[in-house]
Each structure stands twice: as structure tokens, then as C-alpha cells.
Amino acid sequence: MTGRQVIVQALAGDTHASTLAAAIAIKGGAADIAYSTDFPEPAYKSFAFSCDRECNREGRTHSKLEEGQWNPLTFWYRRSAPPMPSMENIHPDDRPYVTKVLRAFDTGGAMLWHDTLRARGATMVNDPHAARTAESKVLQLAHAVDAGWYVPDTLISNDPERIRAFLSQDGKFIHKSLTHFGWSEIDGCRFPRTAEISVDLLSSASLLAKTPGIYQRKIEKRAEIRAFCFGNTCLALRIEPAEGGATSPDWRGFHTPGRAFARQVTLDAETHEACMRLMSSMGLITASFDIMVDRDGRHIFAELNQAGQFLWLEYHHIPAVDAFSQFLLDGSSNFVWDERHRISLADIMESSQYKDIQMSESFNRCRPDAAVAGYA
């Protein structure tokens, strides 16, 4: 289909990265995955600067990242993680220093690499700086209001008096975490979820001051929509409670079989344009949106995730992999998906391209301490 080249920055063991790389190869493109979890071993990095004759700079990293070995056209900043080296040969007193110097070196090298990609004209999906900024729930809400979205009455605070006053108003309220986090337990991982809250459930003033949170007026929902947007394309799934059931404060609660009915929908023009405006204002060209639909049919912004999971949409017959791989190969912020060259997830998973990626040295170098559990 195309010879366009795609570079993916991901964590080792990321199924999204390997699946998209295989889809791109099937479509005639070339995809290389740079695993950020390979540093400091086995991926080595060096940067040299000289002004003896003519000022120049050299930036080298191990293997495929060496200068001049590729001419990237699309860079997919899937996910990254700080270095997590083995400390078995490092004195305990020196481990904080080793951690700090590795992170400083890795961050500087990544910034230089991303600058080089931009200078070569690569399409950044998303630009790493914009991606990190978009993780802020505070900025998301501010930009959403400016982009014309309706948002619930919201207080983001660690002020115990203001929190208590906000929750003392008439109506029901919910609490949301400002960040993703996971607690490892014997039977798996536990993640903070959106939940109803009242003044009676609040912790002590001291604990509230140490744990800022998002407090919102609860929306009586008819449904929720998860919209995966890229370029000028949005693939949307509408999730409604099963007959006789009730909506959940957190849409992920609907994953229990029999609790909900989900179907693909096309966003109305107003909601589609609101998604585009918000992505543009935050410097993004892809994002996953959580949208609430109230009893009157009004679409309400909940949050966005600039690197949200989307493979699960395939199980609801939404060809997210085919569409997003075409987007990466196209590299246009105005991309509109063309269904005529559609490939299925099943075909990708059975392909020799996918099996080759699964068997590659880099893919099998995943360490348990570098893996990311759950979805967001």
C-alpha cells in the first residue's frame, strides 16, 4: 500500500505497539519499535559535540536508533518510562544518585531525539511535550471549557473547608483521582476509580490537604461514549446499562458481562467538532475521549487520554487497528479513514509479521518491574 516509515516509542511487551507494527507491515509500510525500557541495558546512548572545525553534534544510541539509519516520517509516541536498572551491584547509598543521573541522561537524550525527528519533518503522534501536558486533568478541564464543551460543576482542591462546602450543596457528587496509580496486591492490582462521595465520607482535614482530588456534581447518565479520535476521524462506542440496570460512576465498571449494552455509533457533528477543537487546543492529533450523555441527550466532557488503550474496541467490532494504522501511514492531521483496504485484528494476529515481532529479541526483553498493568 505504501512505503512510509513509522517509528514507535513504547514499553517492552506493549501489545498495542506490536499489533500496530504488524498491521503497518501488512499494509506495505515499515515500522520500527524503540523500547524505552531497554535503557540503560542493552540500549547504549552517546552524544558528542565538537567545534574544532565546524560546529556539529552527534547523537547515537544502540542499534536502530543510530544517526542516518532511517528517515522517519511518522513518530508514534505510544508510551515511555524512566530507566529502571538492576541495582544489585550498586551500593544502597549510591542508588538514588544512579537513578537520578540515569533519568537526567535519558530525558536529555529523548529530548534531543525528538528535536531531531521534528527537524526531519516527522509527524508527531503525539508530540511528547504536548502529550505530557495533556496528562493534566486540570488543564484538560480548562481547555474543554474553552473548546465549547459542557462540564459538570467541578472543584479541584486540597482545601478541606472548600471541599466540605462544595459537597454540602444539594445533589449528589463524585470523586475522581488526579492521576493514574496502581496498588499491587496478592490477588492482582487495584486502581483508583470514580466513585460517589459525600461530606460524611470525607477523610480528616490533614489527609484531604495531602491528597488533592477532583470533586464533581454527579451527572444522571443515560449512556457513556468512548471516542477514539485521530486526525479528523473518530471511532465511537456507546455504552448503555442493560435493561433494568443502572449506570456506573466509572465506565470501566460496565466490563462485567451482562451489565451493559455497547454498540458503535457515529458522533454527531457538534460533538465531533468539539473533540477536534479540544485536541487542537492541546496540541494533540490523537486522543481517547470519555463522554457522558445525560437524560436530556446532552454530551458532557468527562476526560481525555492522549495515549488511551483501544485494542478492546476490536471486541465490539470496531476496526480500530486498521483505521489507526492507516492514520500512522498517512501522517496527516486531517486524516479521514478509508474502509476499502480493511484488515481484521484476527488476520493481523495470525500474520507472519506479528509472529516475527513477538519473537524478536526486543519484545522478549520485558521485565516485570517495567511492565504496565491495567488500562486507562
Side-chain angles (χ1 to χ4, degrees), residues 54-367:
E54 180 180 344
C55 290
N56 63 81
R57 70 185 187 187
E58 172 195 353
R60 291 193 181 278
T61 54
H62 180 71
S63 186
K64 292 180 180 179
L65 301 188
E66 290 190 6
E67 184 77 18
Q69 287 199 9
W70 53 20
N71 182 26
L73 295 177
T74 300
F75 174 67
W76 179 26
Y77 183 67
R78 165 63 184 158
R79 285 187 177 174
S80 65
M84 301 179 68
S86 168
M87 293 290 188
E88 59 180 303
N89 297 322
I90 307 297
H91 190 279
D93 292 346
D94 296 330
R95 289 173 184 174
Y97 171 76
V98 170
T99 298
K100 190 170 184 178
V101 75
L102 277 174
R103 291 190 177 187
F105 182 66
D106 184 55
T107 300
M111 289 178 176
L112 179 58
W113 182 35
H114 298 152
D115 279 349
T116 302
L117 291 170
R118 293 186 195 97
R120 292 181 177 182
T123 299
M124 309 297 279
V125 184
N126 287 300
D127 186 282
H129 175 72
R132 288 188 291 269
T133 300
E135 292 296 325
S136 168
K137 299 292 193 294
V138 179
L139 282 179
Q140 285 184 22
L141 287 166
H143 280 266
V145 171
D146 291 343
W149 279 95
Y150 179 86
V151 301
D153 293 340
T154 302
L155 174 69
I156 305 175
S157 179
N158 75 327
D159 183 334
E161 289 189 9
R162 289 208 60 182
I163 294 170
R164 292 181 184 279
F166 183 77
L167 298 182
S168 296
Q169 301 176 91
D170 292 337
K172 297 180 179 180
F173 298 87
I174 60 169
H175 173 270
K176 298 166 68 174
S177 174
L178 276 166
T179 186
H180 301 297
F181 193 78
W183 289 268
S184 295
E185 299 183 345
I186 296 176
D187 57 348
C189 290
R190 184 164 52 89
F191 303 93
R193 296 285 178 91
T194 300
E196 283 195 41
I197 193 167
S198 64
V199 172
D200 296 337
L201 295 176
L202 287 177
S203 304
S204 67
S206 176
L207 189 54
L208 288 174
K210 296 181 179 70
T211 54
I214 302 172
Y215 302 88
Q216 287 185 328
R217 185 176 296 279
K218 183 181 179 183
I219 299 297
E220 295 301 328
K221 297 178 291 188
R222 176 191 297 174
E224 297 196 22
I225 294 175
R226 179 76 163 185
F228 177 37
C229 300
F230 41 93
N232 197 32
T233 294
C234 286
L235 304 178
L237 184 76
R238 183 182 173 103
I239 306 168
E240 300 175 345
E243 186 174 354
T247 59
S248 168
D250 192 308
W251 70 271
R252 287 166 291 193
F254 283 140
H255 278 245
T256 305
R259 286 197 60 188
F261 170 72
R263 58 187 172 88
Q264 183 176 4
V265 295
T266 299
L267 294 181
D268 63 86
E270 182 179 353
T271 303
H272 180 98
E273 287 305 313
C275 290
M276 297 297 108
R277 286 195 302 271
L278 182 51
M279 288 200 300
S280 177
S281 72
M282 301 198 77
L284 306 173
I285 60 173
T286 182
S288 292
F289 288 79
D290 288 345
I291 303 167
M292 299 177 285
V293 183
D294 68 12
R295 301 297 185 187
D296 297 323
R298 179 171 51 184
H299 288 51
I300 301 167
F301 175 81
E303 64 179 47
L304 68 78
N305 189 329
Q306 60 83 24
Q309 310 286 58
F310 54 84
L311 285 183
W312 66 280
L313 294 173
E314 293 278 350
Y315 299 101
H316 295 282
H317 310 292
I318 297 179
V321 174
D322 178 84
F324 194 65
S325 61
Q326 283 192 32
F327 165 64
L328 293 176
L329 287 168
D330 182 86
S332 170
S333 60
N334 296 315
F335 170 81
V336 176
W337 179 42
D338 181 356
E339 298 188 45
R340 289 178 297 177
H341 303 287
R342 191 164 162 176
I343 55 175
S344 70
L345 179 61
D347 289 340
I348 295 169
M349 302 292 259
E350 291 296 322
S351 70
S352 60
Q353 292 90 340
Y354 182 77
K355 292 174 182 177
D356 288 345
I357 293 171
Q358 288 276 58
M359 293 298 293
S360 70
E361 179 184 3
S362 292
F363 190 87
N364 285 289
R365 223 161 26 224
C366 179
R367 302 190 307 274

